[in-house]
Amino acid sequence: MPYKASNINIIDVEFDKHRSSDGVPYLINRNVLKQDELEFMAGYDRQKDSALTSIKGNLKELKPKNILTDLCPILKWLPEYPLKKNLTNDIISGLTVAVMHIPQGMAYGLLAGVDPIVGLYMAFFPTLIYVLFGTSRHISMGTFAVVSIMTSKIVATYSDPNYGSVISNLTQTMSEDGNPVYPYSPFQVATAVTMVCGFYQIIMSILRLGILSSLLSEALVNGFTTAAAFHVLTSQLKDVLGLKLPRHKGAFKIILSLKDMVMNITNANPNAIYIAVACIAFMITMNEFIKPWASKKCKFPIPAELMAVVGFTIASYTLNLGGPIYKVRIVGNIPTGLPIPTMPPFELLQLVAIDAIAVCIVSYSINMSMAKIFAKKEYYEVRPNQELLALGFSNIFGSFFSCIPLCCSLSRSLIQYQAGGKTQLTSVISASIILTVLLWFGPLFETLPRATLAGIIIVALKGMFMQIKDLKRFTKEGILETAEWIGTFLTVIIIDIDIGLLTGVIISILALYIKGLKSYSSMLGQVPNTDIYVDLKTHKNAIELQHVKIFHYSGSINFATCSGFKKELFDNIGINQRVIRRASLCESQSEARNFNNNLKTLIIDLGSVAHIDMSGYRTFMEIKNDMKLISVNVFLANASDCVYDSLTHAACLGHPAFECFSTVHDAVLYATNKSDL
């Protein structure tokens, strides 16, 4: 079909004060263009590739070499590894992180409800698998406080605290509080959770669901981790006090745990309190004063946590703190060597399947948050779906070796980056150091007081507690962000971690829905002597055109928003449904025109409309019919390709077509010239 432009010319506009670099004035000199004319001139092809064509194209791009390097990124970066530039930094960073892994791993292993040695397994088995498949170069994988405390909840629910006792295994089926007792060890439950998390993450990767991490907004994650820090603190207070208390499951765990501590405070062990207070004082002194001073003198950070572990282990061994005199609870037996690969019980996988969902999502979201931070600083790409695959493989492999779910540590990752780590070779160096500890040096820490590990964990929570200050920032961002933070925080604190996370996700989804429904509308006026149209309320020099009103709308126009769109339009142009009804009763058009205040043309600017459905199109038709009653023409302008496609599709289905112009100015000139004819 031959192209034929509208038979109206735009008047040449010359800007005397605004000239190009070569002194030539800017001119506008072309025909008024309707949208279909513009699409013809630009050669717009509305036909999209079929699904089969897209699949064939993707298959052509796939090569065996690309598949292998995409699946296993180490095959791509390791052959190109610059030894002279990066090796020294990676070795120093690996040694530094290994030193942190020992105390943190033991502490967070204990926090997860399993033996401290599990934390060291975490720094070796799954970490090496992540090196093969992960895309982040700087995060330090292993144990993390929030994931450990979430795992401990599942361990407490499905494991028997007296596992190994003949009486417990054969006769006891109900606990004193009426909850069932399952015949599984804490190790079995923890590894079952790890395996299920791994399967979930691989399935999510296959389904390309890496984008789901975006459901956990910054406000949600901030409120969740801050509240989780209180769970971690509460879980450690019993070791600080030297008390052995029953484990609480389900809702109001913090409240019930604090109640038990208060009721049993007279049974507290003063020696454990002295050790914890001394450890906390030492760590605060090192972190707040010595480390900042030393960081200016040398690149290698002071291993304060390891110094505390070694010092209190020696003191405990020398004074026999775990003996009958002092009665301090110690770490106890730490086996040497590597664990024998063991498959978690199959029936246990079914039991923990629901509970593991929250652990899976939280660990992945924290990983992606940290990975994106470092990737942005160092200008490289982190692939969300590949990260899911790396976590999935790491967790499944780790589940055979007594590991809990894998996650990066915020503090260790920061130290790894600050120590100069360039690639995941840092993790290989760190894992090698941990291997020597597992094979030979583990039993040296058997006399370490648990109160020492509790003190290290409590001090490490400072950063998470300080996140409370971020609430002020979220209140400035908006009421929805504030609601996400407060709702998640209070639910996690008062009820439980998994319920709090679910609450936060629901609030986050509602916030997204509300933001999607939220719109912005305004009436536009012309900047004098230009083809630019701006909001009349906020631009005092803009002028409103005679007989023409231009309505600008920002948002989607669909079944959920179309009624609000219509109401905003009528409110802005000063015409309501009562006027339309009265005009419909008039016997002549001249009489009906008296209701429109000399308005002849209504232009709807669609430049900020992202989507329109059939309900939205029918709303346009209603507006057009209503405006026709008062002799007002309705034009559309500035539609994006996807919106224009929707309008064209609706017209093809038998609905009357709209006159749609390429720009607002085209519509204005067309309306002005038409009214003058």
mmCIF file of all heavy atoms in Angstrom, residues 473-495:
data_model
loop_
_atom_site.group_PDB
_atom_site.id
_atom_site.type_symbol
_atom_site.label_atom_id
_atom_site.label_comp_id
_atom_site.label_asym_id
_atom_site.label_seq_id
_atom_site.Cartn_x
_atom_site.Cartn_y
_atom_site.Cartn_z
ATOM 1 N N ARG A 473 16.154 5.336 56.559
ATOM 2 C CA ARG A 473 16.263 5.526 55.104
ATOM 3 C C ARG A 473 15.027 4.979 54.389
ATOM 4 O O ARG A 473 14.519 5.598 53.447
ATOM 5 C CB ARG A 473 17.520 4.830 54.590
ATOM 6 C CG ARG A 473 17.640 4.788 53.073
ATOM 7 C CD ARG A 473 19.031 4.383 52.653
ATOM 8 N NE ARG A 473 19.381 3.061 53.136
ATOM 9 C CZ ARG A 473 19.131 1.939 52.469
ATOM 10 N NH1 ARG A 473 18.510 1.988 51.290
ATOM 11 N NH2 ARG A 473 19.492 0.775 52.960
ATOM 12 N N PHE A 474 14.523 3.823 54.847
ATOM 13 C CA PHE A 474 13.348 3.236 54.198
ATOM 14 C C PHE A 474 12.094 4.082 54.433
ATOM 15 O O PHE A 474 11.213 4.130 53.580
ATOM 16 C CB PHE A 474 13.129 1.807 54.689
ATOM 17 C CG PHE A 474 14.189 0.842 54.232
ATOM 18 C CD1 PHE A 474 14.935 0.118 55.143
ATOM 19 C CD2 PHE A 474 14.454 0.677 52.886
ATOM 20 C CE1 PHE A 474 15.926 -0.759 54.732
ATOM 21 C CE2 PHE A 474 15.437 -0.196 52.454
ATOM 22 C CZ PHE A 474 16.171 -0.912 53.376
ATOM 23 N N THR A 475 12.017 4.739 55.591
ATOM 24 C CA THR A 475 10.869 5.617 55.831
ATOM 25 C C THR A 475 10.860 6.799 54.866
ATOM 26 O O THR A 475 9.794 7.300 54.494
ATOM 27 C CB THR A 475 10.875 6.145 57.275
ATOM 28 O OG1 THR A 475 12.119 6.823 57.537
ATOM 29 C CG2 THR A 475 10.717 5.009 58.269
ATOM 30 N N LYS A 476 12.065 7.227 54.457
ATOM 31 C CA LYS A 476 12.149 8.325 53.486
ATOM 32 C C LYS A 476 11.820 7.851 52.073
ATOM 33 O O LYS A 476 11.364 8.634 51.244
ATOM 34 C CB LYS A 476 13.544 8.941 53.515
ATOM 35 C CG LYS A 476 13.879 9.656 54.822
ATOM 36 C CD LYS A 476 15.275 10.248 54.789
ATOM 37 C CE LYS A 476 15.598 10.970 56.092
ATOM 38 N NZ LYS A 476 16.980 11.537 56.078
ATOM 39 N N GLU A 477 12.066 6.560 51.797
ATOM 40 C CA GLU A 477 11.787 6.031 50.460
ATOM 41 C C GLU A 477 10.293 5.883 50.211
ATOM 42 O O GLU A 477 9.836 6.020 49.085
ATOM 43 C CB GLU A 477 12.487 4.686 50.268
ATOM 44 C CG GLU A 477 14.005 4.794 50.174
ATOM 45 C CD GLU A 477 14.664 3.450 49.926
ATOM 46 O OE1 GLU A 477 13.931 2.467 49.670
ATOM 47 O OE2 GLU A 477 15.896 3.378 49.978
ATOM 48 N N GLY A 478 9.538 5.568 51.265
ATOM 49 C CA GLY A 478 8.098 5.444 51.061
ATOM 50 C C GLY A 478 7.446 4.569 52.110
ATOM 51 O O GLY A 478 8.105 3.809 52.829
ATOM 52 N N ILE A 479 6.132 4.657 52.190
ATOM 53 C CA ILE A 479 5.370 3.905 53.184
ATOM 54 C C ILE A 479 5.417 2.410 52.909
ATOM 55 O O ILE A 479 5.413 1.588 53.842
ATOM 56 C CB ILE A 479 3.904 4.404 53.222
ATOM 57 C CG1 ILE A 479 3.131 3.745 54.372
ATOM 58 C CG2 ILE A 479 3.227 4.157 51.886
ATOM 59 C CD1 ILE A 479 3.622 4.116 55.730
ATOM 60 N N LEU A 480 5.485 2.010 51.636
ATOM 61 C CA LEU A 480 5.507 0.585 51.309
ATOM 62 C C LEU A 480 6.810 -0.064 51.757
ATOM 63 O O LEU A 480 6.808 -1.178 52.291
ATOM 64 C CB LEU A 480 5.304 0.388 49.803
ATOM 65 C CG LEU A 480 3.941 0.825 49.252
ATOM 66 C CD1 LEU A 480 3.897 0.669 47.744
ATOM 67 C CD2 LEU A 480 2.818 0.012 49.893
ATOM 68 N N GLU A 481 7.938 0.615 51.535
ATOM 69 C CA GLU A 481 9.228 0.086 51.983
ATOM 70 C C GLU A 481 9.267 -0.018 53.503
ATOM 71 O O GLU A 481 9.793 -0.991 54.067
ATOM 72 C CB GLU A 481 10.372 0.971 51.490
ATOM 73 C CG GLU A 481 10.681 0.857 50.003
ATOM 74 C CD GLU A 481 9.671 1.577 49.131
ATOM 75 O OE1 GLU A 481 8.833 2.321 49.681
ATOM 76 O OE2 GLU A 481 9.725 1.399 47.897
ATOM 77 N N THR A 482 8.700 0.990 54.170
ATOM 78 C CA THR A 482 8.643 0.960 55.634
ATOM 79 C C THR A 482 7.803 -0.212 56.133
ATOM 80 O O THR A 482 8.171 -0.901 57.088
ATOM 81 C CB THR A 482 8.049 2.278 56.168
ATOM 82 O OG1 THR A 482 8.781 3.384 55.614
ATOM 83 C CG2 THR A 482 8.129 2.338 57.680
ATOM 84 N N ALA A 483 6.673 -0.437 55.471
ATOM 85 C CA ALA A 483 5.799 -1.547 55.856
ATOM 86 C C ALA A 483 6.497 -2.890 55.659
ATOM 87 O O ALA A 483 6.352 -3.803 56.487
ATOM 88 C CB ALA A 483 4.506 -1.497 55.048
ATOM 89 N N GLU A 484 7.261 -3.025 54.573
ATOM 90 C CA GLU A 484 7.995 -4.265 54.332
ATOM 91 C C GLU A 484 8.996 -4.528 55.457
ATOM 92 O O GLU A 484 9.089 -5.646 55.972
ATOM 93 C CB GLU A 484 8.740 -4.181 52.993
ATOM 94 C CG GLU A 484 7.851 -4.331 51.777
ATOM 95 C CD GLU A 484 8.664 -4.291 50.494
ATOM 96 O OE1 GLU A 484 9.624 -5.069 50.377
ATOM 97 O OE2 GLU A 484 8.343 -3.474 49.611
ATOM 98 N N TRP A 485 9.748 -3.505 55.831
ATOM 99 C CA TRP A 485 10.781 -3.665 56.856
ATOM 100 C C TRP A 485 10.154 -4.008 58.204
ATOM 101 O O TRP A 485 10.526 -4.998 58.846
ATOM 102 C CB TRP A 485 11.614 -2.389 56.973
ATOM 103 C CG TRP A 485 12.919 -2.571 57.687
ATOM 104 C CD1 TRP A 485 14.146 -2.730 57.116
ATOM 105 C CD2 TRP A 485 13.141 -2.617 59.116
ATOM 106 N NE1 TRP A 485 15.111 -2.884 58.081
ATOM 107 C CE2 TRP A 485 14.534 -2.811 59.323
ATOM 108 C CE3 TRP A 485 12.321 -2.519 60.220
ATOM 109 C CZ2 TRP A 485 15.099 -2.906 60.591
ATOM 110 C CZ3 TRP A 485 12.872 -2.619 61.493
ATOM 111 C CH2 TRP A 485 14.245 -2.812 61.667
ATOM 112 N N ILE A 486 9.192 -3.189 58.629
ATOM 113 C CA ILE A 486 8.591 -3.371 59.961
ATOM 114 C C ILE A 486 7.805 -4.677 60.027
ATOM 115 O O ILE A 486 7.894 -5.425 61.013
ATOM 116 C CB ILE A 486 7.694 -2.168 60.313
ATOM 117 C CG1 ILE A 486 8.548 -0.896 60.464
ATOM 118 C CG2 ILE A 486 6.907 -2.433 61.594
ATOM 119 C CD1 ILE A 486 7.736 0.357 60.727
ATOM 120 N N GLY A 487 7.020 -4.970 58.975
ATOM 121 C CA GLY A 487 6.226 -6.196 58.981
ATOM 122 C C GLY A 487 7.093 -7.436 59.051
ATOM 123 O O GLY A 487 6.819 -8.364 59.830
ATOM 124 N N THR A 488 8.162 -7.466 58.254
ATOM 125 C CA THR A 488 9.072 -8.615 58.275
ATOM 126 C C THR A 488 9.783 -8.718 59.609
ATOM 127 O O THR A 488 9.863 -9.805 60.210
ATOM 128 C CB THR A 488 10.108 -8.491 57.138
ATOM 129 O OG1 THR A 488 9.427 -8.338 55.893
ATOM 130 C CG2 THR A 488 10.997 -9.721 57.083
ATOM 131 N N PHE A 489 10.304 -7.607 60.090
ATOM 132 C CA PHE A 489 11.068 -7.593 61.341
ATOM 133 C C PHE A 489 10.226 -8.087 62.516
ATOM 134 O O PHE A 489 10.645 -8.990 63.262
ATOM 135 C CB PHE A 489 11.582 -6.175 61.607
ATOM 136 C CG PHE A 489 12.335 -6.021 62.894
ATOM 137 C CD1 PHE A 489 13.686 -6.326 62.954
ATOM 138 C CD2 PHE A 489 11.701 -5.565 64.034
ATOM 139 C CE1 PHE A 489 14.393 -6.196 64.140
ATOM 140 C CE2 PHE A 489 12.392 -5.426 65.229
ATOM 141 C CZ PHE A 489 13.741 -5.743 65.281
ATOM 142 N N LEU A 490 9.045 -7.517 62.689
ATOM 143 C CA LEU A 490 8.216 -7.874 63.847
ATOM 144 C C LEU A 490 7.732 -9.317 63.774
ATOM 145 O O LEU A 490 7.681 -10.013 64.802
ATOM 146 C CB LEU A 490 7.020 -6.921 63.945
ATOM 147 C CG LEU A 490 7.340 -5.468 64.308
ATOM 148 C CD1 LEU A 490 6.077 -4.629 64.354
ATOM 149 C CD2 LEU A 490 8.073 -5.388 65.650
ATOM 150 N N THR A 491 7.383 -9.784 62.577
ATOM 151 C CA THR A 491 6.901 -11.161 62.449
ATOM 152 C C THR A 491 8.010 -12.158 62.747
ATOM 153 O O THR A 491 7.777 -13.183 63.404
ATOM 154 C CB THR A 491 6.340 -11.410 61.041
ATOM 155 O OG1 THR A 491 5.453 -10.361 60.685
ATOM 156 C CG2 THR A 491 5.588 -12.721 60.991
ATOM 157 N N VAL A 492 9.230 -11.875 62.271
ATOM 158 C CA VAL A 492 10.357 -12.762 62.563
ATOM 159 C C VAL A 492 10.647 -12.771 64.056
ATOM 160 O O VAL A 492 10.891 -13.831 64.656
ATOM 161 C CB VAL A 492 11.605 -12.325 61.771
ATOM 162 C CG1 VAL A 492 12.834 -13.110 62.232
ATOM 163 C CG2 VAL A 492 11.393 -12.547 60.288
ATOM 164 N N ILE A 493 10.633 -11.613 64.676
ATOM 165 C CA ILE A 493 10.944 -11.513 66.109
ATOM 166 C C ILE A 493 9.874 -12.204 66.952
ATOM 167 O O ILE A 493 10.173 -13.037 67.815
ATOM 168 C CB ILE A 493 11.067 -10.035 66.532
ATOM 169 C CG1 ILE A 493 12.349 -9.414 65.967
ATOM 170 C CG2 ILE A 493 11.052 -9.904 68.052
ATOM 171 C CD1 ILE A 493 13.610 -9.844 66.637
ATOM 172 N N ILE A 494 8.620 -11.862 66.706
ATOM 173 C CA ILE A 494 7.543 -12.320 67.588
ATOM 174 C C ILE A 494 7.140 -13.764 67.290
ATOM 175 O O ILE A 494 6.937 -14.560 68.221
ATOM 176 C CB ILE A 494 6.321 -11.389 67.465
ATOM 177 C CG1 ILE A 494 6.698 -9.978 67.930
ATOM 178 C CG2 ILE A 494 5.143 -11.922 68.280
ATOM 179 C CD1 ILE A 494 5.613 -8.950 67.698
ATOM 180 N N ILE A 495 7.035 -14.110 66.029
ATOM 181 C CA ILE A 495 6.551 -15.453 65.689
ATOM 182 C C ILE A 495 7.727 -16.372 65.392
ATOM 183 O O ILE A 495 8.216 -17.078 66.259
ATOM 184 C CB ILE A 495 5.547 -15.399 64.517
ATOM 185 C CG1 ILE A 495 4.374 -14.460 64.888
ATOM 186 C CG2 ILE A 495 5.016 -16.785 64.201
ATOM 187 C CD1 ILE A 495 3.342 -14.300 63.816
#
